[in-house]
């Protein structure tokens, strides 16, 4: 009988201990798998969300995030100039503000408000009705439509808030053109969008044509790197970032926290797994010292009994590792739902994202756990004194 078969029979003879080891590894492996998904999940999800908008470059006045820094002067003219570059397919200008819909309540309904200008496709998806055009057209998200019971064609009056200072702007009337899905909406967020000119009018008529960010789509054959270089040459006074550079900046900033948490918990779970398997194997070996000594006396080599111990560790860790994958998937779904309740997290962003590389690392770590956990029990059987052990068994 080969070493794997012999190890299997040894585990079957001790079902309670073997089951405890497998279930312990399954729990630890599930948490380990989730931590590996968490370490890069948010970054991958954010990158995918940025790519789904259809734009792979962002142009701002400073290095600050859009909506938090100074406006880009003559943004519409700049967007039109950028769109003419050979490496650029299209460009739009976006400005962000806030607005309160005057729905008859004492405080109104607070929303985020954005204006867009350009000939490219807008960064939202129309669900019902039509997109913004000329006049007082406005698109709203599903949360706003449900809360205020609005449908395409409805009239709304809102008061914009366009700076961090207190303002007393006059109310502005709009017609709802359609219901849209916005890529960076939070689960309970309310969002409105109109043309850049109409938003400037709602903001008091000042800063017409200015925007927080210019979104740029590069030509398929050119790529974002070439487009970044061309836009930077055209407008050296502005800051140009590709999606990859923006994600890297996010990763070095707020996303570092999740990677640190992932690293700490991965280390803790692996240490627990090694300790658990080492204890179980050591107890099992100590109870079978006489049996192992008898096998050695019958002709089993030192390497054969070492292989038996290693195979036991592999079977326990392998069985628990297989169970850990679906268990980790269920756990990740529940944890993702909880973490997405953090205020300001877009509804389409996920903290746990499956990656083939995470699965590979998971398997490698479990394999290393099986080997490391078996080292101490292997040392026991490799140095086992055959004659003394058999004598102790007979005397005992």
């Amino acid at each position: 009988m080969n070493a794997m078969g012999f190890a299997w029979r040894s585990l079957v003879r001790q079902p309670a201990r073997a089951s405890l080891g497998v279930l312990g590894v399954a729990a630890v492996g599930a948490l380990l798998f989730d931590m590996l998904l968490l370490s890069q999940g948010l970054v991958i999800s954010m990158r995918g969300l940025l790519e789904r908008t259809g734009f792979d470059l962002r142009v701002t006045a400073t290095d600050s995030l859009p909506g938090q820094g100074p406006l880009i002067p003559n943004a519409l003219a700049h967007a039109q100039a950028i769109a003419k570059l050979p490496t650029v397919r299209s460009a739009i200008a976006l400005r962000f503000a806030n607005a309160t819909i005057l729905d008859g309540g004492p405080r109104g309904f607070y929303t985020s408000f954005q204006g867009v200008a350009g000939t490219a496709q807008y960064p939202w998806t129309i669900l019902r009705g039509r997109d913004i055009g000329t006049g007082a057209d406005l698109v709203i998200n599903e949360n706003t439509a449900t809360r205020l019971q609005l449908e395409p064609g409805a009239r709304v009056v809102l008061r914009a808030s366009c700076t961090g200072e207190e303002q007393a702007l006059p109310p502005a009337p709009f017609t709802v053109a359609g219901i849209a899905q916005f890529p960076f909406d939070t689960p309970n967020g309310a969002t409105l969008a109109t043309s850049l000119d109409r938003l400037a009018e709602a903001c008091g008529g000042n800063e017409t044509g200015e925007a927080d960010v210019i979104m740029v789509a590069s030509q398929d054959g050119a790529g974002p790197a070439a487009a970044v270089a061309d836009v930077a040459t055209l407008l050296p006074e502005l800051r140009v970032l590709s999606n990859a550079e923006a994600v890297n900046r996010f990763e070095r900033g707020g996303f570092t926290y999740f990677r640190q948490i992932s690293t700490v918990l991965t280390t803790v779970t692996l240490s627990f797994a090694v300790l658990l398997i080492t204890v179980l194997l050591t107890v099992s070996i100590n109870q079978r010292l006489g049996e192992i000594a008898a096998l050695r006396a019958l002709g089993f080599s030192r390497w054969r009994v070492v292989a038996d111990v290693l195979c036991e560790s592999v079977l326990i860790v392998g069985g628990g590792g297989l169970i850990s994958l679906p268990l980790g998937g269920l756990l990740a779904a529940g944890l993702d739902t909880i973490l997405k309740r953090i205020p300001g997290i877009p509804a389409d962003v996920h903290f746990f994202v499956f990656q083939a590389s995470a699965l590979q690392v998971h398997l490698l770590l479990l394999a290393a756990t099986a080997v490391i956990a078996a080292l101490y029990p292997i040392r026991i059987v490799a140095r086992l004194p055959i004659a003394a052990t058999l004598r102790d068994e007979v005397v005992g």
Side-chain angles (χ1 to χ4, degrees), residues 185-198:
D185 262 353
T186 59
N188 299 316
T191 306
L192 317 175
T194 186
S195 67
L196 189 61
D197 289 341
R198 285 290 291 157

Side-chain angles (χ1 to χ4, degrees), residues 236-389:
E237 71 278 11
L238 300 180
R239 303 293 185 269
V240 187
L241 282 179
S242 65
N243 284 349
E245 292 170 332
V247 170
N248 288 337
R249 179 174 296 182
F250 292 151
E251 187 175 6
R252 292 192 302 268
F255 295 168
T256 306
Y257 173 78
F258 296 98
R259 178 171 293 178
Q260 293 171 345
I261 289 294
S262 172
T263 302
V264 171
L265 291 180
T266 296
T267 303
V268 172
T269 53
L270 282 177
S271 301
F272 179 78
V274 170
L275 181 61
L276 173 65
I277 304 305
T278 300
V279 170
L280 291 175
L281 288 177
T282 302
V283 171
S284 176
I285 293 301
N286 286 335
Q287 290 181 344
R288 295 188 292 119
L289 288 178
E291 175 186 331
I292 295 171
L295 292 174
R296 289 292 312 278
L298 290 174
F300 273 52
S301 67
R302 178 182 286 107
W303 297 112
R304 172 56 194 274
V305 294
V306 165
D308 291 340
V309 175
L310 180 59
C311 288
E312 284 190 42
S313 180
V314 169
L315 287 173
I316 293 175
V317 174
L322 289 177
I323 300 174
S324 72
L325 294 177
L327 183 62
L330 293 175
L331 180 61
L335 292 175
D336 193 64
T337 301
I338 295 173
L339 290 175
K340 288 180 67 173
R341 296 174 184 171
I342 298 175
I345 298 297
D348 291 336
V349 166
H350 298 279
F351 290 82
F352 300 86
V353 179
F354 176 79
Q355 320 147 53
S357 60
L359 179 59
Q360 294 172 358
V361 173
H362 181 256
L363 296 177
L364 289 174
L365 290 176
L366 288 182
T369 299
V371 174
I372 296 173
L375 291 178
Y376 181 68
I378 284 175
R379 181 176 180 273
I380 294 176
V381 299
R383 297 187 176 187
L384 182 67
I386 300 174
T389 303

